[in-house]
Amino acid sequence: GLKHVTTLVEQKKAQLVVIASDVDPIELVVWLPALCRKMDVPYVIVKNKGRIGTVVNQKRCAVAALTAVKPADAGKLERLQELARSQFN
């Protein structure tokens, strides 16, 4: 959940944070990009909660954090981090 993602960002364990744009009320996540920038954690904003939910096998999800990936996918994660930093951070 949001509290766990916040903890991962503060501990710099999150490698990429995904934030939904349709969270209601928006005040729940409006401060999260500032925290990610402060802690130098790349983040992206996606269109809706359902898209994040499909990744984490739930119906909806407001935020998600990637903490580890398989070694075979490390290059893809690095590319995502670079894109996130250039577009959002």
Side-chain angles (χ1 to χ4, degrees):
L2 181 59
K3 190 173 185 178
H4 186 62
V5 170
T6 303
T7 304
L8 291 172
V9 171
E10 288 172 342
Q11 295 174 353
K12 294 191 177 186
K13 291 183 180 178
Q15 295 180 1
L16 179 68
V17 175
V18 184
I19 306 167
S21 64
D22 63 341
V23 178
D24 188 43
I26 194 69
E27 287 81 11
L28 292 174
V29 295
V30 75
W31 51 269
L32 195 53
L35 178 65
C36 289
R37 280 193 294 271
K38 178 182 176 187
M39 302 305 287
D40 195 35
V41 175
Y43 69 94
V44 294
I45 299 173
V46 296
K47 191 172 185 176
N48 62 32
K49 296 182 282 193
R51 291 185 181 193
I52 303 174
T54 57
V55 174
V56 297
N57 295 324
Q58 292 185 357
K59 191 173 181 182
R60 290 182 300 274
C61 183
V63 295
L66 296 175
T67 55
V69 295
K70 295 178 183 175
D73 296 328
K76 292 179 183 177
L77 176 63
E78 287 178 20
R79 275 185 261 143
L80 278 173
Q81 288 173 328
E82 289 172 16
L83 287 171
R85 282 194 169 101
S86 67
Q87 296 289 323
F88 296 98
N89 287 30

